[in-house]
Amino acid sequence: MLVSAIPPQLLKSDKNPDGLPMAVFDQLRDGTANHRSQFYQDITIPFYGFNRPGAKISQGIRDNWWRQGMMGGIKAQYDCIKVLSETEFFEDLKTIDVPVLVMHGEDDQICPFATSGAKSVKLLKHGTLKSYPGFPHGMPTTHADQINADLLEFIKREAGVAAVAAV
């Protein structure tokens, strides 16, 4: 399963003309390296869609995200930005030969749906797309009941298909 995932690539390139410009990732690197504590506070707003009209901001969710961010190693987090932005997964996705559920919020401000989830499912041999209008990147937290129910449904369906195929 791919949930709010980065593939096939986030960075704008010849292969990915709809990707995000390098300046976006340079800002992430700057925030991680030079303003780390504030960066992990600020990123929670778009990550969880708390900047959208009618959003109910959860200070507990924001505090927990900040805590997790501050517990991580700064070098690893800085290097992670290169990996999540520049790594190409086009060919990798094409080689996956098992059913894959792609779950993605259509209002994901971190990994835009059109350049990630919508493209990933087209590259998978056995991909199933479940998109969610209005859901943010952090949808497993903000919409856990829906995400968990859909995940369980997919697992049960695929387990049933596998059982029938084995008979």
Side-chain angles (χ1 to χ4, degrees):
M1 125 179 110
L2 298 172
V3 180
S4 303
I6 63 172
Q9 184 182 23
L10 287 180
L11 181 65
K12 184 175 186 170
S13 67
D14 290 340
K15 203 171 190 176
N16 191 34
D18 299 325
L20 301 170
M22 182 59 83
V24 170
F25 303 106
D26 289 341
Q27 288 175 339
L28 293 175
R29 278 187 267 273
D30 177 64
T32 301
N34 302 309
H35 320 282
R36 189 168 177 227
S37 184
Q38 190 61 51
F39 171 77
Y40 281 110
Q41 282 290 324
D42 294 345
I43 197 82
T44 63
I45 300 297
F47 191 96
Y48 293 108
F50 292 153
N51 58 340
R52 297 305 195 211
K56 182 181 176 206
I57 298 173
S58 167
Q59 192 60 45
I61 290 173
R62 294 190 71 210
D63 291 347
N64 189 48
W65 181 253
W66 176 86
R67 179 191 59 80
Q68 291 176 61
M70 295 307 292
M71 286 175 34
I74 192 168
K75 172 80 167 105
Q77 292 170 343
Y78 186 88
D79 291 346
C80 179
I81 295 165
K82 179 178 181 65
V83 172
L84 73 86
S85 63
E86 298 178 37
T87 304
E88 286 188 11
F89 294 100
F90 292 94
E91 297 307 314
D92 297 281
L93 290 170
K94 291 176 186 177
T95 66
I96 298 171
D97 198 23
V98 296
V100 177
L101 176 61
V102 177
M103 304 172 89
H104 213 104
E106 293 179 15
D107 192 31
D108 188 325
Q109 298 172 69
I110 306 302
C111 297
F113 172 72
T115 60
S116 46
K119 285 188 178 180
S120 288
V121 74
K122 292 176 183 174
L123 296 167
L124 293 161
K125 291 177 184 172
H126 307 287
T128 299
L129 176 63
K130 183 73 177 169
S131 63
Y132 302 88
F135 281 25
H137 186 73
M139 66 184 192
T141 298
T142 60
H143 297 83
D145 290 346
Q146 180 70 55
I147 299 305
N148 290 335
D150 291 344
L151 175 58
L152 185 57
E153 177 185 319
F154 178 79
I155 291 169
K156 286 179 179 177
R157 184 178 71 237
E158 290 305 318
V161 169
V164 169
V167 172

